[in-house]
Amino acid sequence: DVLQSVRSDIEQEVAELSGDEREELTAALLEATAAEFDDGESVDVYGRADDQELLDDLLADYDGFEYAGEYDCLGGVVADSDQSRVRVKNTFDSILDEVWENNLREISDRLFEQ
């Protein structure tokens, strides 16, 4: 229960990121995502509904990339292209999942150290 409570608190903090911090993290995830696609591909990008304006601004720098709709996540991007059949999921959720799983033992030890 304690670990789940900590996880929920972290998710809430991540979801509430705003301003420059949210823009920088989203831009970095978009850049990493774009590297997975070939030049000239048409790429559909999905993201959190509240981030549509931010994503539209960021996508203006990427030829062939277009905001394609909402994806239920804390932030970040999911992108795919019919031309390469590639789907990249670079969301705040997926990064949090990876960090959480890789560090769960350490988190648990810190919370419950005797």
Side-chain angles (χ1 to χ4, degrees):
D1 287 342
V2 172
L3 286 174
Q4 185 54 47
S5 176
V6 170
R7 173 72 185 241
S8 294
D9 289 348
I10 293 169
E11 288 175 351
Q12 183 175 348
E13 289 287 325
V14 170
E16 293 174 355
L17 289 173
S18 62
D20 290 343
E21 189 172 23
R22 184 172 204 87
E23 183 176 345
E24 288 173 20
L25 291 171
T26 303
L29 292 174
L30 181 58
E31 185 175 331
T33 298
E36 299 294 322
F37 296 94
D38 293 331
D39 289 340
E41 280 189 70
S42 294
V43 179
D44 291 331
V45 178
Y46 303 85
R48 184 172 172 243
D50 291 346
D51 289 346
Q52 181 176 352
E53 186 176 326
L54 169 61
L55 289 170
D56 284 337
D57 289 346
L58 293 172
L59 290 170
D61 295 335
Y62 294 87
D63 290 335
F65 284 63
E66 181 177 321
Y67 182 78
E70 181 181 340
Y71 188 85
D72 185 21
C73 63
L74 300 173
V77 296
V78 174
D80 60 35
S81 173
D82 289 337
Q83 294 158 323
S84 65
R85 298 185 188 184
V86 171
R87 183 174 184 104
V88 178
K89 184 177 177 185
N90 265 343
T91 62
F92 293 177
D93 311 63
S94 61
I95 292 170
L96 177 58
D97 287 344
E98 185 177 330
V99 170
W100 186 262
E101 290 301 318
N102 290 341
N103 296 289
L104 187 57
R105 173 150 273 336
E106 182 181 335
I107 293 167
S108 181
D109 288 347
R110 287 184 119 180
L111 287 172
F112 304 110
E113 64 183 49
Q114 298 176 356

